[in-house]
Amino acid sequence: MTTTTTREETRAVLASKGASTLMQRCQLIAQCTEKPGEILRTFLSPVMDEVHRMMRPWMEAAGMAVAVDRAGNLRGVYGADGDGAAPRLLIGSHLDTVPNAGAYDGVLGVLMGLALAEASAERKFPFAIEVVGFSDEEGTRFGAPFLGSRAVVGELTGSLLECVDGKGVSVATAVTNYAIQRPETIEAALSDRCAAYLEFHIEQGPVLESRNLALGIVEGLSGQSRCSVEFHGLAGHAGTNPMKLRKDALAGAAEWMTRVEAMANRFENAVATVGQITAEPGGVNVIPGEVRCSLDVRHAEDAVRAALVRAAFDEAGAVGTKRGLRVETAQYHEHPAVRLDAGLVALAERAAGQAGYATMRMTSGAGHDAMVIAPHVPAAMVFLRNPGGISHHPDESVSERDVAAAIHTGLCFLDKFAAYLAEKETRTRG
Ligand code: GLV
Ligand code: MN
Ligand code: MN
């Protein structure tokens, strides 16, 4: 009896091999950290150089020309079939992390680009593939996110350059010094041949798992606001000041936080988070006089998000009036909600179907580099099931089988992308 191996069976075998390698690489990259005992990688840190040194030989072995740009983004180009002026498909995500991170958020999407080039096994397409590892998506170092992708689209400008890190170094100084110390770096810009962006990412939530699906197709991403809220009271002796005569900034901040939580609960699908808090002067026997809180607000509708931010600021004012505290509020980062490209989203969906995977359409509550790239070139995103929905946490995980599903989908996407480009070209020519 003879057996014929179908094209999809061959791709499934390649995908499964690639998934095993990708999982091992995620663990290797997880060892590159600024803080022993936990995963932490921040914008332009020496540890990011270490990741680049680790990834470069893998990318070169896959036939890529590798470079780092002046904003610290790792970039590798897998050339097109013949034509040097061929369009480019950008595939990637980010290499930085939140504090005490897991091993897959961001890194997986960068390694997916590499896995797809490797699984193509020297086969060339009528387009080049550029794999990008963005240097900052989380905003861990400067509070403001997407510094890597914003640099690439020419949006690392204005007040963003004035944000400072914990040591008082500004974005402008950090980027200038980085480039001076690395004369070999290339311009941080999107290639003018870039025709589309594709990002794979763990879902960072429980929905796909609850639907028993390996993959989801992202149609859009929620907008986000990042704000600071400060309460100024009066520091004083913890033993001598009666409760009723205090101006305790931390007690005020605590009351405000529970009000914000209650308020976000009243809006459907809204989320509001106070993730950072500093209380000064920080003595066990001193009434806190100064408190600074972060506030992160997200919603798929920009008007609802803006209303939520206003309401959170009003609540802070009300708490301040009630408790005799001075309150200062500011929104220092805002990104509107983004719709991804309908044609490319449909292409990703059909690619998953061809690979044999049912999918669902989703809106991402998390921010992703795709949000920044999508207004400039057509973009699509594929989510991978994330067990327990655990992410931004050391227990974050993804299964090797689901990674294989994503690689198989990616291979089908590459096949279809050539036709997508041709069709687009015909439509443009009209
Ligand atoms: C990044 O993961 C974010 O959504 O803040
Ligand atoms: Mn993240
Ligand atoms: Mn991420």
Side-chain angles (χ1 to χ4, degrees):
M1 195 173 93
T2 55
T3 54
T4 41
T5 307
T6 66
R7 188 177 54 172
E8 294 319 324
E9 281 166 349
T10 307
R11 283 187 179 148
V13 171
L14 284 167
S16 136
K17 187 162 163 270
S20 158
T21 307
L22 186 147
M23 297 298 278
Q24 288 164 26
R25 286 174 174 167
C26 284
Q27 292 309 320
L28 286 170
I29 291 174
Q31 289 167 21
C32 303
T33 177
E34 288 160 41
K35 198 163 175 193
E38 70 175 62
I39 304 175
L40 172 67
R41 287 189 302 275
T42 60
F43 184 53
L44 306 184
S45 64
V47 162
M48 289 296 247
D49 288 339
E50 210 181 296
V51 175
H52 296 169
R53 281 195 295 276
M54 186 176 275
M55 289 192 63
R56 185 182 277 268
W58 301 338
M59 294 169 90
E60 286 175 346
M64 291 183 186
V66 182
V68 175
D69 73 26
R70 290 197 261 287
N73 300 306
L74 177 66
R75 311 179 65 158
V77 179
Y78 181 81
D81 186 15
D83 188 356
R88 262 187 204 184
L89 171 64
L90 188 62
I91 307 180
S93 191
H94 60 100
L95 293 169
D96 69 316
T97 74
V98 293
N100 202 18
Y104 302 97
D105 175 358
V107 175
L108 177 131
V110 185
L111 292 174
M112 274 296 301
L114 172 57
L116 290 173
E118 285 173 336
S120 299
E122 290 168 21
R123 176 184 161 204
K124 295 291 179 144
F125 301 92
F127 52 88
I129 300 172
E130 178 174 350
V131 175
V132 60
F134 289 116
S135 52
D136 174 275
E137 181 264 350
E138 305 285 6
T140 304
R141 179 168 170 193
F142 287 100
F146 309 125
L147 300 184
S149 47
R150 285 204 270 184
V152 159
V153 296
E155 290 170 8
L156 196 56
T157 53
S159 59
L160 195 50
L161 292 168
E162 289 158 25
C163 291
V164 287
D165 68 6
K167 293 184 177 146
V169 178
S170 69
V171 172
T173 304
V175 172
T176 305
N177 290 345
Y178 182 83
I180 288 172
Q181 287 157 14
R182 293 165 186 75
E184 71 284 5
T185 47
I186 61 169
E187 190 191 357
L190 211 53
S191 159
D192 51 13
R193 294 198 290 280
C194 183
Y197 176 69
L198 176 64
E199 182 167 353
F200 291 86
H201 204 287
I202 54 167
E203 180 202 338
Q204 303 185 277
V207 177
L208 288 172
E209 184 174 52
S210 74
R211 300 282 203 92
N212 207 18
L213 294 171
L215 304 175
I217 307 296
V218 181
E219 286 183 295
L221 298 95
S222 291
Q224 52 179 259
S225 294
R226 289 192 185 185
C227 314
S228 74
V229 176
E230 290 177 6
F231 295 88
H232 302 270
L234 196 60
H237 200 292
T240 57
N241 285 287
M243 296 307 285
K244 289 209 164 52
L245 300 182
R246 297 179 175 205
K247 289 184 178 175
D248 183 330
L250 188 50
E255 180 179 349
W256 170 71
M257 278 181 232
T258 56
R259 288 188 185 201
V260 167
E261 186 185 36
M263 184 193 71
N265 270 318
R266 288 197 295 273
F267 285 78
E268 206 180 338
N269 296 325
V271 285
T273 307
V274 178
Q276 277 178 344
I277 177 161
T278 53
E280 301 289 344
V284 283
N285 56 350
V286 186
I287 299 163
E290 309 282 327
V291 170
R292 184 178 186 279
C293 302
S294 65
L295 173 66
D296 177 305
V297 180
R298 304 186 190 205
H299 198 275
E301 284 173 46
D302 291 334
V304 176
R305 176 173 47 81
L308 264 161
V309 169
R310 270 197 309 277
F313 287 180
D314 288 349
E315 291 290 356
V319 168
T321 305
K322 181 179 141 193
R323 290 172 170 266
L325 305 170
R326 185 167 60 82
V327 173
E328 280 179 41
T329 56
Q331 175 172 285
Y332 65 87
H333 164 73
E334 181 180 24
H335 203 293
V338 165
R339 303 297 306 164
L340 297 180
D341 181 76
L344 212 62
V345 165
L347 194 77
E349 194 169 49
R350 288 201 302 278
Q354 185 181 333
Y357 297 96
T359 54
M360 64 180 284
R361 298 250 180 145
M362 312 181 77
T363 297
S364 173
H368 296 291
D369 297 297
M371 287 179 93
V372 175
I373 305 293
H376 301 269
V377 289
M381 274 195 89
V382 177
F383 273 170
L384 284 74
R385 172 165 46 196
N386 173 207
I390 299 169
S391 179
H392 283 189
H393 188 280
D395 292 343
E396 175 181 281
S397 67
V398 67
S399 80
E400 193 172 312
R401 275 181 75 152
D402 292 350
V403 173
I407 297 176
H408 191 165
T409 296
L411 290 172
C412 295
F413 183 96
L414 293 182
D415 241 7
K416 294 182 182 303
F417 187 64
Y420 165 92
L421 284 175
E423 220 174 90
K424 226 176 153 179
E425 168 114 13
T426 316
R427 254 185 287 129
T428 319
R429 282 211 197 116

